[in-house]
Amino acid sequence: MNKNPLDVFIEGAKKGFNIAVFSLLPNVLMAYVIAKMLTILGIMQLLAKIFSPIMSLFSLPGESIAVLLSAWLSVSAGVGMLISLISDNLLNDVQISIITPAIFLMGAQLQYMGRLLGVAGVRKKYWPLLMLTSILNAFIAMGFLAFYFKIS
């Protein structure tokens, strides 16, 4: 049975709206609140001090490790953490450009590990290698972008 293209579009728009409002937005808000709590408790400053030497290789402040750790759990959580750092004026536009691709390259690995790799029948011995590949890609992208912005 053929459906009217307009009906298909409206049905898809409704599904997209529901995903955005009821799935993504709560994760972004939760990560934002957690970031604020970490800042208030002084944990964000501790992370900054510990990871500053590593993150400075990518021209990023040490606090930006929280974005990567959150993104590893959930892309929307990584975005929420990124928004929190932006609202605290810890990241400028160049730094946002450097870290954003990493959110999506290594994003939500923990969530997708069981959902995708398990369902696809990938042997568990390959899971760490696949996860490491994504993380390595994210760091290569950040390194490339940091180098690009330094020379331009």
Side-chain angles (χ1 to χ4, degrees):
M1 175 162 71
N2 291 333
K3 288 186 172 183
N4 180 345
L6 187 59
D7 291 338
V8 172
F9 175 79
I10 290 172
E11 186 178 319
K14 284 180 183 176
K15 287 180 181 176
F17 179 80
N18 285 334
I19 289 171
V21 171
F22 299 113
S23 183
L24 298 176
L25 189 58
N27 284 337
V28 171
L29 288 175
M30 178 190 67
Y32 184 84
V33 170
I34 289 174
K36 293 299 180 190
M37 290 171 53
L38 292 175
T39 301
I40 291 169
L41 295 172
I43 295 171
M44 193 67 84
Q45 293 80 4
L46 181 65
L47 287 174
K49 198 176 279 186
I50 293 171
F51 290 99
S52 183
I54 296 169
M55 299 311 289
S56 67
L57 296 173
F58 307 105
S59 303
L60 294 169
E63 291 90 344
S64 58
I65 192 70
V67 174
L68 298 178
L69 293 173
S70 300
W72 188 68
L73 300 172
S74 163
V75 170
S76 51
V79 170
M81 194 64 74
L82 178 68
I83 292 169
S84 174
L85 294 185
I86 293 169
S87 71
D88 291 340
N89 292 322
L90 292 172
L91 295 174
N92 61 32
D93 55 344
V94 169
Q95 293 167 326
I96 294 167
S97 300
I98 291 171
I99 201 167
T100 298
I103 293 172
F104 296 100
L105 286 170
M106 63 184 280
Q109 288 186 354
L110 199 59
Q111 287 183 358
Y112 295 130
M113 184 172 55
R115 289 183 192 166
L116 298 177
L117 298 178
V119 173
V122 176
R123 291 185 185 166
K124 286 189 178 182
K125 70 179 185 180
Y126 297 118
W127 292 14
L129 180 63
L130 293 170
M131 296 176 97
L132 187 64
T133 302
S134 296
I135 293 169
L136 187 62
N137 284 337
F139 279 89
I140 289 171
M142 289 191 309
F144 175 78
L145 288 170
F147 177 73
Y148 172 77
F149 285 115
K150 271 186 184 171
I151 63 170
S152 61

